Amino acid sequence: MANTETALKEALASIEGATGVALVDYTSGMALGTMGGSKSFDLTVAAAGNTDVVRSKLRTMEHLGLKGQIEDILITLSDQYHLIRLISGRGGNGLFLYLVLDAKRANLAMARHQLKKIEEDLEV
Amino acid sequence: MTTVRMPPPLPTRLRTQIPSGGLSPMLSRLAAERATGVLMREGGMLYLSDGQVMYAESPATPGLDVLLIARGALDEDGWREAVAQAGARRLVGRFLVDSGRISQGALELCHLGALYDAAYFVLGPSSAPARFRYGEPHWLGPVRPVPVTAVERETVRRRELLHGIWPDPAADEAPLVRADRPPGATVAPRQEAVLARIDGVSTATDISRVLGRPAFHTLVDVRRLAAAGFVTPRAAEPDPAGPAPGSPTPVPVEEFPLFTDPHITLLKRLRDALEAL
């Protein structure tokens, strides 16, 4: 696999409209790597907060007795998309990729597809 | 309904915000002077190189080897050989990658996980003085150095996270006992694995080692389980029923005395001043 920095750089460079990406451990809420973001958009804060989103969804699925795995979670804002992709590799237990997209420039279907490819590359 | 026994307040400093001098004034100074060596504190050791944190070790946490082996990223023989071959040159990390045993990315992620995990315990509140020995790089070698400020920020964030889940820290170090399962409550699979290993003797640290998970992650699970009423720390008095037959005799937990001495504030200020020297 690529090293984490390369994988995140690739995500930012190759996905149209991507403005930030983070690799996050969802038990601790720690961002193991971030790329992009800005002064007004702190990716480490976003990473920590979104662990709660992932945890709530997993819990709700348990309560409902759903056996499927979460592939990704999409949040749409008026001007941004946030895409969360859970890493399912054998050692990736408990990690997710968090991608911030500019809604005007992004192609959602394409971004989803590319993020999946980057997840495969990471194969942690 | 579970009754929660709140322990007496401990005379440690509550630091949910980084004071101006950093979590450890000594560490901030070492970072500023770009020191290389090892910082020894009550909770473990931080290895610095050029003022950056290279690695951290704590008796409370499983090491990088345990995490790598538990994830299936490496086997025990592979680890042993790497330490034998490259330990003396202090380049074990690079050897693991160069010899194709593990990818750079997987090593980095596990290394960061282990570093921040141990650093949380090393930088925990302590009453013992810290020491620094110059010029001793860690045998793992450089993998991914982290600035001191990042380690401090993450440590404080982790403290707040735990406090937000369940404010009683008693379950962090004490042997854990299972409480009556609250009716209708469910537990996430990762927490179920923790719950299954609670036997009245093991502490959160013991459970992390068995599961091959970072100790902080187990603390998060334990505090969530405590908040939901599944788990309580064992009281200081030995259980009247005694430990299960065949299990090792548990070491009694030390009960902290109540501090009522008005001079305690003065002593704490003195300690702070001495540590800041």
Side-chain angles (χ1 to χ4, degrees), chain A residues 64-86:
Chain A
L64 292 170
L66 300 178
K67 295 275 175 272
Q69 301 284 320
I70 300 179
E71 286 188 350
D72 44 27
I73 299 173
L74 169 68
I75 294 156
T76 60
L77 312 185
S78 51
D79 57 344
Q80 291 179 4
Y81 299 136
H82 295 179
L83 196 53
I84 294 168
R85 176 153 197 107
L86 274 72

PDB file of all heavy atoms in Angstrom, chain A residues 64-86:
ATOM      1  N   LEU A  64     -31.840  -1.845  15.003  1.00  0.00           N
ATOM      2  CA  LEU A  64     -32.792  -2.294  13.989  1.00  0.00           C
ATOM      3  C   LEU A  64     -32.522  -3.730  13.562  1.00  0.00           C
ATOM      4  O   LEU A  64     -33.303  -4.318  12.824  1.00  0.00           O
ATOM      5  CB  LEU A  64     -32.700  -1.379  12.757  1.00  0.00           C
ATOM      6  CG  LEU A  64     -33.188   0.055  12.968  1.00  0.00           C
ATOM      7  CD1 LEU A  64     -32.827   0.919  11.778  1.00  0.00           C
ATOM      8  CD2 LEU A  64     -34.689   0.070  13.192  1.00  0.00           C
ATOM      9  N   GLY A  65     -31.399  -4.244  14.021  1.00  0.00           N
ATOM     10  CA  GLY A  65     -31.059  -5.611  13.641  1.00  0.00           C
ATOM     11  C   GLY A  65     -30.583  -5.734  12.200  1.00  0.00           C
ATOM     12  O   GLY A  65     -30.678  -6.796  11.602  1.00  0.00           O
ATOM     13  N   LEU A  66     -30.075  -4.632  11.618  1.00  0.00           N
ATOM     14  CA  LEU A  66     -29.574  -4.687  10.245  1.00  0.00           C
ATOM     15  C   LEU A  66     -28.182  -5.317  10.234  1.00  0.00           C
ATOM     16  O   LEU A  66     -27.332  -4.936  11.023  1.00  0.00           O
ATOM     17  CB  LEU A  66     -29.504  -3.281   9.644  1.00  0.00           C
ATOM     18  CG  LEU A  66     -30.824  -2.519   9.553  1.00  0.00           C
ATOM     19  CD1 LEU A  66     -30.595  -1.136   8.979  1.00  0.00           C
ATOM     20  CD2 LEU A  66     -31.819  -3.293   8.700  1.00  0.00           C
ATOM     21  N   LYS A  67     -27.988  -6.252   9.325  1.00  0.00           N
ATOM     22  CA  LYS A  67     -26.705  -6.961   9.325  1.00  0.00           C
ATOM     23  C   LYS A  67     -25.716  -6.403   8.291  1.00  0.00           C
ATOM     24  O   LYS A  67     -24.555  -6.746   8.311  1.00  0.00           O
ATOM     25  CB  LYS A  67     -26.935  -8.459   9.058  1.00  0.00           C
ATOM     26  CG  LYS A  67     -27.718  -9.157  10.157  1.00  0.00           C
ATOM     27  CD  LYS A  67     -26.802  -9.620  11.287  1.00  0.00           C
ATOM     28  CE  LYS A  67     -27.589 -10.219  12.446  1.00  0.00           C
ATOM     29  NZ  LYS A  67     -28.007  -9.204  13.430  1.00  0.00           N
ATOM     30  N   GLY A  68     -26.207  -5.576   7.387  1.00  0.00           N
ATOM     31  CA  GLY A  68     -25.319  -5.038   6.345  1.00  0.00           C
ATOM     32  C   GLY A  68     -24.223  -4.154   6.923  1.00  0.00           C
ATOM     33  O   GLY A  68     -24.322  -3.699   8.059  1.00  0.00           O
ATOM     34  N   GLN A  69     -23.175  -3.966   6.139  1.00  0.00           N
ATOM     35  CA  GLN A  69     -22.077  -3.094   6.566  1.00  0.00           C
ATOM     36  C   GLN A  69     -22.287  -1.707   5.975  1.00  0.00           C
ATOM     37  O   GLN A  69     -22.769  -1.594   4.849  1.00  0.00           O
ATOM     38  CB  GLN A  69     -20.743  -3.637   6.033  1.00  0.00           C
ATOM     39  CG  GLN A  69     -20.410  -5.034   6.487  1.00  0.00           C
ATOM     40  CD  GLN A  69     -19.938  -5.041   7.922  1.00  0.00           C
ATOM     41  OE1 GLN A  69     -19.199  -4.150   8.342  1.00  0.00           O
ATOM     42  NE2 GLN A  69     -20.388  -6.010   8.697  1.00  0.00           N
ATOM     43  N   ILE A  70     -21.901  -0.679   6.734  1.00  0.00           N
ATOM     44  CA  ILE A  70     -21.950   0.671   6.165  1.00  0.00           C
ATOM     45  C   ILE A  70     -20.805   0.792   5.169  1.00  0.00           C
ATOM     46  O   ILE A  70     -19.662   0.506   5.518  1.00  0.00           O
ATOM     47  CB  ILE A  70     -21.749   1.744   7.249  1.00  0.00           C
ATOM     48  CG1 ILE A  70     -22.837   1.658   8.306  1.00  0.00           C
ATOM     49  CG2 ILE A  70     -21.710   3.134   6.619  1.00  0.00           C
ATOM     50  CD1 ILE A  70     -22.678   2.666   9.409  1.00  0.00           C
ATOM     51  N   GLU A  71     -21.121   1.210   3.943  1.00  0.00           N
ATOM     52  CA  GLU A  71     -20.044   1.492   3.000  1.00  0.00           C
ATOM     53  C   GLU A  71     -19.651   2.950   3.120  1.00  0.00           C
ATOM     54  O   GLU A  71     -18.510   3.285   3.372  1.00  0.00           O
ATOM     55  CB  GLU A  71     -20.489   1.176   1.574  1.00  0.00           C
ATOM     56  CG  GLU A  71     -20.551  -0.312   1.314  1.00  0.00           C
ATOM     57  CD  GLU A  71     -20.796  -0.605  -0.145  1.00  0.00           C
ATOM     58  OE1 GLU A  71     -21.091   0.319  -0.914  1.00  0.00           O
ATOM     59  OE2 GLU A  71     -20.686  -1.789  -0.502  1.00  0.00           O
ATOM     60  N   ASP A  72     -20.657   3.842   2.922  1.00  0.00           N
ATOM     61  CA  ASP A  72     -20.347   5.244   3.146  1.00  0.00           C
ATOM     62  C   ASP A  72     -21.559   6.013   3.649  1.00  0.00           C
ATOM     63  O   ASP A  72     -22.693   5.538   3.584  1.00  0.00           O
ATOM     64  CB  ASP A  72     -19.696   5.911   1.927  1.00  0.00           C
ATOM     65  CG  ASP A  72     -20.362   5.558   0.620  1.00  0.00           C
ATOM     66  OD1 ASP A  72     -21.574   5.238   0.635  1.00  0.00           O
ATOM     67  OD2 ASP A  72     -19.679   5.589  -0.409  1.00  0.00           O
ATOM     68  N   ILE A  73     -21.270   7.185   4.187  1.00  0.00           N
ATOM     69  CA  ILE A  73     -22.312   8.063   4.714  1.00  0.00           C
ATOM     70  C   ILE A  73     -22.141   9.394   3.990  1.00  0.00           C
ATOM     71  O   ILE A  73     -21.027   9.918   3.919  1.00  0.00           O
ATOM     72  CB  ILE A  73     -22.148   8.281   6.234  1.00  0.00           C
ATOM     73  CG1 ILE A  73     -22.260   6.948   6.988  1.00  0.00           C
ATOM     74  CG2 ILE A  73     -23.160   9.294   6.759  1.00  0.00           C
ATOM     75  CD1 ILE A  73     -21.946   7.047   8.462  1.00  0.00           C
ATOM     76  N   LEU A  74     -23.240   9.933   3.467  1.00  0.00           N
ATOM     77  CA  LEU A  74     -23.158  11.195   2.726  1.00  0.00           C
ATOM     78  C   LEU A  74     -23.952  12.274   3.457  1.00  0.00           C
ATOM     79  O   LEU A  74     -25.098  12.054   3.856  1.00  0.00           O
ATOM     80  CB  LEU A  74     -23.726  10.997   1.313  1.00  0.00           C
ATOM     81  CG  LEU A  74     -23.950  12.280   0.511  1.00  0.00           C
ATOM     82  CD1 LEU A  74     -22.616  12.920   0.153  1.00  0.00           C
ATOM     83  CD2 LEU A  74     -24.740  11.988  -0.755  1.00  0.00           C
ATOM     84  N   ILE A  75     -23.323  13.415   3.637  1.00  0.00           N
ATOM     85  CA  ILE A  75     -24.016  14.554   4.231  1.00  0.00           C
ATOM     86  C   ILE A  75     -23.946  15.683   3.204  1.00  0.00           C
ATOM     87  O   ILE A  75     -22.859  16.019   2.723  1.00  0.00           O
ATOM     88  CB  ILE A  75     -23.342  14.963   5.544  1.00  0.00           C
ATOM     89  CG1 ILE A  75     -23.520  13.830   6.567  1.00  0.00           C
ATOM     90  CG2 ILE A  75     -23.927  16.265   6.089  1.00  0.00           C
ATOM     91  CD1 ILE A  75     -22.498  13.805   7.643  1.00  0.00           C
ATOM     92  N   THR A  76     -25.098  16.241   2.852  1.00  0.00           N
ATOM     93  CA  THR A  76     -25.059  17.331   1.877  1.00  0.00           C
ATOM     94  C   THR A  76     -25.391  18.646   2.573  1.00  0.00           C
ATOM     95  O   THR A  76     -26.384  18.748   3.284  1.00  0.00           O
ATOM     96  CB  THR A  76     -26.055  17.101   0.725  1.00  0.00           C
ATOM     97  OG1 THR A  76     -27.360  17.010   1.269  1.00  0.00           O
ATOM     98  CG2 THR A  76     -25.752  15.833  -0.032  1.00  0.00           C
ATOM     99  N   LEU A  77     -24.524  19.626   2.404  1.00  0.00           N
ATOM    100  CA  LEU A  77     -24.788  20.989   2.873  1.00  0.00           C
ATOM    101  C   LEU A  77     -25.184  21.801   1.650  1.00  0.00           C
ATOM    102  O   LEU A  77     -25.103  21.321   0.520  1.00  0.00           O
ATOM    103  CB  LEU A  77     -23.536  21.595   3.505  1.00  0.00           C
ATOM    104  CG  LEU A  77     -22.769  20.767   4.522  1.00  0.00           C
ATOM    105  CD1 LEU A  77     -21.649  21.604   5.110  1.00  0.00           C
ATOM    106  CD2 LEU A  77     -23.673  20.269   5.610  1.00  0.00           C
ATOM    107  N   SER A  78     -25.557  23.059   1.862  1.00  0.00           N
ATOM    108  CA  SER A  78     -25.961  23.854   0.699  1.00  0.00           C
ATOM    109  C   SER A  78     -24.804  24.051  -0.281  1.00  0.00           C
ATOM    110  O   SER A  78     -24.997  24.142  -1.474  1.00  0.00           O
ATOM    111  CB  SER A  78     -26.526  25.190   1.158  1.00  0.00           C
ATOM    112  OG  SER A  78     -25.617  25.790   2.053  1.00  0.00           O
ATOM    113  N   ASP A  79     -23.582  24.091   0.253  1.00  0.00           N
ATOM    114  CA  ASP A  79     -22.455  24.344  -0.665  1.00  0.00           C
ATOM    115  C   ASP A  79     -21.349  23.284  -0.593  1.00  0.00           C
ATOM    116  O   ASP A  79     -20.329  23.403  -1.255  1.00  0.00           O
ATOM    117  CB  ASP A  79     -21.861  25.729  -0.373  1.00  0.00           C
ATOM    118  CG  ASP A  79     -21.421  25.854   1.071  1.00  0.00           C
ATOM    119  OD1 ASP A  79     -21.841  25.006   1.898  1.00  0.00           O
ATOM    120  OD2 ASP A  79     -20.656  26.775   1.381  1.00  0.00           O
ATOM    121  N   GLN A  80     -21.534  22.264   0.253  1.00  0.00           N
ATOM    122  CA  GLN A  80     -20.492  21.233   0.384  1.00  0.00           C
ATOM    123  C   GLN A  80     -21.122  19.849   0.479  1.00  0.00           C
ATOM    124  O   GLN A  80     -22.279  19.720   0.884  1.00  0.00           O
ATOM    125  CB  GLN A  80     -19.713  21.433   1.706  1.00  0.00           C
ATOM    126  CG  GLN A  80     -18.845  22.650   1.748  1.00  0.00           C
ATOM    127  CD  GLN A  80     -18.133  22.770   3.097  1.00  0.00           C
ATOM    128  OE1 GLN A  80     -18.245  21.907   3.961  1.00  0.00           O
ATOM    129  NE2 GLN A  80     -17.406  23.855   3.262  1.00  0.00           N
ATOM    130  N   TYR A  81     -20.333  18.858   0.106  1.00  0.00           N
ATOM    131  CA  TYR A  81     -20.707  17.478   0.419  1.00  0.00           C
ATOM    132  C   TYR A  81     -19.654  16.919   1.372  1.00  0.00           C
ATOM    133  O   TYR A  81     -18.469  17.205   1.210  1.00  0.00           O
ATOM    134  CB  TYR A  81     -20.703  16.601  -0.839  1.00  0.00           C
ATOM    135  CG  TYR A  81     -21.672  17.026  -1.917  1.00  0.00           C
ATOM    136  CD1 TYR A  81     -21.267  17.051  -3.253  1.00  0.00           C
ATOM    137  CD2 TYR A  81     -22.979  17.365  -1.592  1.00  0.00           C
ATOM    138  CE1 TYR A  81     -22.155  17.420  -4.257  1.00  0.00           C
ATOM    139  CE2 TYR A  81     -23.870  17.741  -2.600  1.00  0.00           C
ATOM    140  CZ  TYR A  81     -23.449  17.778  -3.920  1.00  0.00           C
ATOM    141  OH  TYR A  81     -24.308  18.144  -4.902  1.00  0.00           O
ATOM    142  N   HIS A  82     -20.099  16.158   2.353  1.00  0.00           N
ATOM    143  CA  HIS A  82     -19.155  15.446   3.218  1.00  0.00           C
ATOM    144  C   HIS A  82     -19.405  13.960   3.023  1.00  0.00           C
ATOM    145  O   HIS A  82     -20.533  13.501   3.176  1.00  0.00           O
ATOM    146  CB  HIS A  82     -19.364  15.817   4.689  1.00  0.00           C
ATOM    147  CG  HIS A  82     -19.054  17.253   4.975  1.00  0.00           C
ATOM    148  ND1 HIS A  82     -19.197  17.798   6.229  1.00  0.00           N
ATOM    149  CD2 HIS A  82     -18.602  18.243   4.173  1.00  0.00           C
ATOM    150  CE1 HIS A  82     -18.853  19.079   6.175  1.00  0.00           C
ATOM    151  NE2 HIS A  82     -18.494  19.375   4.947  1.00  0.00           N
ATOM    152  N   LEU A  83     -18.341  13.258   2.697  1.00  0.00           N
ATOM    153  CA  LEU A  83     -18.473  11.838   2.414  1.00  0.00           C
ATOM    154  C   LEU A  83     -17.606  11.067   3.410  1.00  0.00           C
ATOM    155  O   LEU A  83     -16.416  11.358   3.562  1.00  0.00           O
ATOM    156  CB  LEU A  83     -17.999  11.598   0.972  1.00  0.00           C
ATOM    157  CG  LEU A  83     -18.362  10.297   0.291  1.00  0.00           C
ATOM    158  CD1 LEU A  83     -19.864  10.042   0.357  1.00  0.00           C
ATOM    159  CD2 LEU A  83     -17.918  10.354  -1.172  1.00  0.00           C
ATOM    160  N   ILE A  84     -18.229  10.118   4.101  1.00  0.00           N
ATOM    161  CA  ILE A  84     -17.500   9.306   5.082  1.00  0.00           C
ATOM    162  C   ILE A  84     -17.465   7.878   4.555  1.00  0.00           C
ATOM    163  O   ILE A  84     -18.513   7.317   4.230  1.00  0.00           O
ATOM    164  CB  ILE A  84     -18.224   9.326   6.445  1.00  0.00           C
ATOM    165  CG1 ILE A  84     -18.177  10.733   7.041  1.00  0.00           C
ATOM    166  CG2 ILE A  84     -17.616   8.303   7.403  1.00  0.00           C
ATOM    167  CD1 ILE A  84     -19.089  10.914   8.231  1.00  0.00           C
ATOM    168  N   ARG A  85     -16.277   7.333   4.438  1.00  0.00           N
ATOM    169  CA  ARG A  85     -16.190   5.952   3.949  1.00  0.00           C
ATOM    170  C   ARG A  85     -15.498   5.078   4.984  1.00  0.00           C
ATOM    171  O   ARG A  85     -14.355   5.311   5.357  1.00  0.00           O
ATOM    172  CB  ARG A  85     -15.422   5.909   2.630  1.00  0.00           C
ATOM    173  CG  ARG A  85     -15.243   4.501   2.173  1.00  0.00           C
ATOM    174  CD  ARG A  85     -15.097   4.309   0.694  1.00  0.00           C
ATOM    175  NE  ARG A  85     -15.352   2.902   0.426  1.00  0.00           N
ATOM    176  CZ  ARG A  85     -16.449   2.441  -0.141  1.00  0.00           C
ATOM    177  NH1 ARG A  85     -17.385   3.256  -0.535  1.00  0.00           N
ATOM    178  NH2 ARG A  85     -16.614   1.156  -0.319  1.00  0.00           N
ATOM    179  N   LEU A  86     -16.195   4.069   5.475  1.00  0.00           N
ATOM    180  CA  LEU A  86     -15.608   3.171   6.463  1.00  0.00           C
ATOM    181  C   LEU A  86     -14.635   2.220   5.785  1.00  0.00           C
ATOM    182  O   LEU A  86     -14.937   1.694   4.712  1.00  0.00           O
ATOM    183  CB  LEU A  86     -16.709   2.396   7.200  1.00  0.00           C
ATOM    184  CG  LEU A  86     -17.283   3.156   8.395  1.00  0.00           C
ATOM    185  CD1 LEU A  86     -18.146   4.307   7.936  1.00  0.00           C
ATOM    186  CD2 LEU A  86     -18.060   2.237   9.299  1.00  0.00           C
TER     187      LEU A  86
END
